[in-house]
Amino acid sequence: GDLTVSSLTVPSKGGAGSTIVISDTTTNAGGGIVAASITRFFLSSNASLDASDVLLPGGRAVPDLAAGASATGTTTTTLPATVATGTYYVIAKADADDAVLETQEANNTTARAITIGVDLVVSALTVPAGGGAGSTISITETVTNQGGGVASASVTRVYLSRDPTLDANDVPLSGSRMVPALGAGESSTGSIAAGIPAGVAAGAYYVIARADADAQVSEASETNNA
């Protein structure tokens, strides 16, 4: 026999210490019957399994498989609580305990990418069509944690810009909004009373809202906050 992981599905994102559900199909690609085995899962910084990778709790029992037969199932496991934010791979290994003698022992693994960590974005933004120098405008925005895990409390700030890209030339507007801690997929909507500087010249501008403007939250992506 020859056991392979012929299909593997993992969530695209997760949080440190959170549970994820993994679906896999283990197939006997060889020509003889193989005895029962266990498929296990590892967290890795790359797509190759080695001794530095972290064995995730649990595993899936695979029954005896005739030549060409497959077994599909799901496994609920927990990501390490101390894993740093970043992009990783979940690696599934058929016959992870090396209990089955196979014609090939080097093709037991399959890997899929997963992003671990929170990711705050401004998912909705409403500003008035006009305003005056020295006046105060009301801005409504929604901050969403589109990553995995819980994002700690943060601050959203707003800026006045000549273009839709936030850079050092843009003018911070007075006013901000405290955003509470947000679990994976959760959102917070609120309003900011933003003061426009008195010396701003007439013209067309952009109002840019930036989630986690003080960079207090470690995120899976730091380039999509505005």
Side-chain angles (χ1 to χ4, degrees), residues 14-189:
S18 66
T19 59
I20 60 172
V21 178
I22 302 170
S23 175
D24 83 279
T25 298
T26 299
T27 297
N28 176 12
I33 297 174
V34 294
S37 62
I38 295 180
T39 298
R40 298 192 189 277
F41 307 93
F42 302 80
L43 190 68
S44 175
S45 60
N46 54 55
S48 299
L49 183 63
D50 59 42
S52 67
D53 298 332
V54 178
L55 174 64
L56 298 177
R60 189 173 72 83
V62 178
D64 297 354
L65 293 176
S70 298
T72 299
T74 59
T75 302
T76 299
T77 189
T78 304
L79 296 171
T82 57
V83 64
T85 295
T87 299
Y88 295 82
Y89 290 85
V90 172
I91 301 176
K93 182 179 181 182
D95 187 28
D97 296 346
D98 296 321
V100 177
L101 183 64
E102 303 176 61
T103 57
Q104 296 187 66
E105 298 287 358
N107 63 348
N108 291 78
T109 62
T110 297
R112 294 289 183 270
I114 182 173
T115 300
I116 297 178
V118 304
D119 186 18
L120 295 173
V121 298
V122 177
S123 55
L125 177 64
T126 303
V127 302
S135 68
T136 298
I137 59 174
S138 180
I139 299 168
T140 302
E141 45 76 31
T142 299
V143 173
T144 298
N145 175 14
Q146 66 177 13
V150 178
S152 58
S154 61
V155 176
T156 298
R157 301 189 188 277
V158 287
Y159 306 81
L160 197 65
S161 175
R162 284 289 191 179
D163 57 57
T165 302
L166 183 62
D167 59 39
N169 297 319
D170 299 332
V171 178
L173 301 182
S174 64
S176 61
R177 186 174 75 89
M178 289 298 302
V179 177
L182 296 175
E186 292 184 345
S187 298
S188 171
T189 299

Side-chain angles (χ1 to χ4, degrees), residues 185-216:
E186 292 184 345
S187 298
S188 171
T189 299
S191 296
I192 299 172
I196 300 175
V200 171
Y205 293 84
Y206 289 86
V207 171
I208 300 176
R210 182 182 179 186
D212 187 30
D214 296 344
Q216 296 299 302

